Amino acid sequence: EAGVTQFPSHSVIEKGQTVTLRCDPISGHDNLYWYRRVMGKEIKFLLHFVKESKQDESGMPNNRFLAERTGGTYSTLKVQPAELEDSGVYFCASSQGQGWGKNIQYFGAGTRLSVL
Amino acid sequence: AQSVTQLDSHVSVSEGTPVLLRCNYSSSYSPSLFWYVQHPNKGLQLLLKYTSAATLVKGINGFEAEFKKSETSFHLTKPSAHMSDAAEYFCVVPFSGGYNKLIFGAGTRLAVHP
């Protein structure tokens, strides 16, 4: 069974440019999460999808960040325009659903974003 | 509000010696708690989870953790370190008792020397 996959693994862009990160969850997982770790800080929650709907986007830092999950499969996270403080590692996770044994979050390897 | 504090940012041990990674939590009720591990260039992997069934939890790769309510601790241990244990370890608590939003500790980087 394929795990959570994220593309690209690394991205280097200049301030003001746009970057789109992609996450493919484990097949059949309705729940998809985005997290971020900026340099020297803890991993922080960004948002949570249930299928194609945003369940919780309380961690999104500002309106330069846009997450989508059209069709309830893969998700994209767009940063436009990117700022220096957006640099960090962006993690995606997925879980099957609610209830015992179904709510464990499985993580991808992350996308390392460097904004110069 | 829930939080976790990992007391050591770096731990260094020799191969074959015990490992102790410390985590304290803050919660107004008995939380669920997790330990995740991240090896270089890999995703975060669940090591073990505590969900109030038993205070001593066994995980993968010989790791275990003990939930101590009186000390608000959930330390991760392993009797004998292996070179392959070198990684970063995260103590994690779900927000508000649910599983939808995870709150991470700052991480402890474990180095294992021959």
Side-chain angles (χ1 to χ4, degrees), chain A residues 31 33 35 37 42-43 45 48 56 58 91 98 100-101 103-105 107-109, chain B residues 34 36 38 41-44 46 49 51 88 90 99-102 104-107:
Chain A
N31 294 267
Y33 313 81
Y35 293 82
R37 189 182 196 188
E42 294 89 349
I43 298 172
F45 169 85
H48 168 214
D56 180 356
S58 60
F91 292 100
Q98 302 299 316
W100 184 260
N103 45 30
I104 298 299
Q105 294 185 26
F107 283 79
Chain B
F34 306 89
Y36 278 83
Q38 186 181 23
N41 301 316
K42 300 286 188 182
L44 290 152
L46 181 67
K49 61 180 179 180
T51 54
E88 191 164 18
F90 297 92
Y99 291 92
N100 291 334
K101 180 190 303 188
L102 299 180
F104 284 78

Side-chain angles (χ1 to χ4, degrees), chain A residues 6 8-13 19 21 35-43 46 65 77 79 82-91 109-116:
Chain A
Q6 294 187 243
S9 57
H10 292 85
S11 181
V12 181
I13 62 172
V19 63
L21 314 180
Y35 293 82
R36 176 175 77 166
R37 189 182 196 188
V38 298
M39 186 69 70
K41 301 286 188 179
E42 294 89 349
I43 298 172
L46 295 178
F65 289 75
L77 180 65
V79 185
E83 298 289 345
L84 299 178
E85 64 264 25
D86 300 331
S87 296
V89 181
Y90 290 76
F91 292 100
T111 294
R112 183 173 297 277
L113 174 64
S114 297
V115 182
L116 306 179

